[in-house]
Amino acid sequence: MNVPGSRDIRVLHVEDDADFADGVATILEQENDRFVIETATDAEAGLDRVAEFDPDCVVSDYDMPGPTGIDFLERLREDWPDLPFILYTGKGSEEVASRAISAGVTDYIQKAAGREEYELLANRIENAVAQHRAERAVERSEARLRTVVDNIPHPVFVVNATREYVISNPKHAAAHGMTVEAVEGSNAESVLEAAVYEQFDADVETVLETG
């Protein structure tokens, strides 16, 4: 049953055996009614469908006529570097797994007989999409924070326990005659004058000890 407010999970399944792909789609949609499954029968069609369908996850066979599933993954990564991609194949070997990992595969599952296979695939798809969506949410949150911090008309910075600047806004960087890019990632000891850093270091230590 759908959770109120939950989003559909759009899945593109690339598989040269159209009957098998249709069967997998039916079972996956039974496993999770948030799944919306589209299919393509080869890598070229898969690339076209990704652009049109905008899937949340791609599931692809490895051994197909023309480009293999890994060839498809490598081409997909040129324009969609973070899109979850699960290689779902009957051809398993260390070489295939190694190539898949090098190409940036999200997960790797070997086809097997039995309902458990589809339960596993459904879980892996759901987990991959959930993680991807969470990462995108964090990125959006960080982008909003960056916008707020950069527009504060006073020096603002965040420093970690090792005295490295994690965030510096333009006013703070300008106060040190530096750019934001130069300050962030630098240790405060390399930015501040020695006498100033000594007090700064003591202040940071007090904060860490007392909270």
Side-chain angles (χ1 to χ4, degrees):
M1 179 179 296
N2 278 346
V3 177
S6 63
R7 295 165 54 189
D8 286 339
I9 296 175
R10 299 182 305 280
V11 180
L12 175 64
H13 185 195
V14 181
E15 163 67 56
D16 61 305
D17 185 335
D19 291 337
F20 178 75
D22 289 342
V24 172
T26 298
I27 296 174
L28 288 179
E29 288 173 344
Q30 292 172 351
E31 289 290 330
N32 188 329
D33 63 5
R34 293 170 60 201
F35 287 164
V36 177
I37 314 290
E38 290 279 335
T39 61
T41 55
D42 57 46
E44 295 295 340
L47 289 169
D48 291 339
R49 291 302 294 136
V50 168
E52 298 165 359
F53 182 51
D54 189 24
D56 297 299
C57 182
V58 173
V59 176
S60 177
D61 189 18
Y62 169 76
D63 193 8
M64 300 183 289
T68 67
I70 296 180
D71 295 329
F72 172 41
L73 171 59
E74 290 172 342
R75 292 178 60 182
L76 190 71
R77 284 290 177 253
E78 294 174 7
D79 295 313
W80 291 275
D82 303 318
L83 179 63
F85 187 106
I86 296 175
L87 193 66
Y88 179 52
T89 176
K91 184 173 182 177
S93 70
E94 290 185 8
E95 180 182 357
V96 171
S98 178
R99 273 198 68 198
I101 292 170
S102 297
V105 75
T106 306
D107 211 336
Y108 177 91
I109 302 175
Q110 281 193 254
K111 295 175 182 176
R115 186 80 184 195
E116 295 82 3
E117 164 194 349
Y118 301 106
E119 293 174 358
L120 174 63
L121 179 58
N123 287 334
R124 297 286 182 86
I125 292 170
E126 190 169 17
N127 291 340
V129 172
Q131 181 175 342
H132 184 252
R133 287 177 174 176
E135 290 170 352
R136 298 294 79 75
V138 169
E139 289 176 359
R140 290 192 295 270
S141 178
E142 290 177 345
R144 288 193 293 270
L145 173 62
R146 180 90 252 180
T147 298
V148 171
V149 168
D150 285 351
N151 284 282
I152 295 175
H154 307 289
V156 175
F157 67 89
V158 176
V159 66
N160 63 20
T162 62
R163 284 49 164 179
E164 180 182 291
Y165 288 108
V166 179
I167 294 176
S168 171
N169 75 347
K171 287 290 185 180
H172 174 258
H176 297 290
M178 301 172 67
T179 64
V180 168
E181 292 76 16
V183 174
E184 291 181 347
S186 297
N187 192 280
E189 189 171 12
S190 67
V191 174
L192 303 174
E193 295 180 0
V196 176
Y197 176 77
E198 185 176 348
Q199 183 60 54
F200 177 86
D201 182 63
D203 291 341
V204 171
E205 193 62 35
T206 297
V207 171
L208 292 174
E209 290 176 355
T210 65

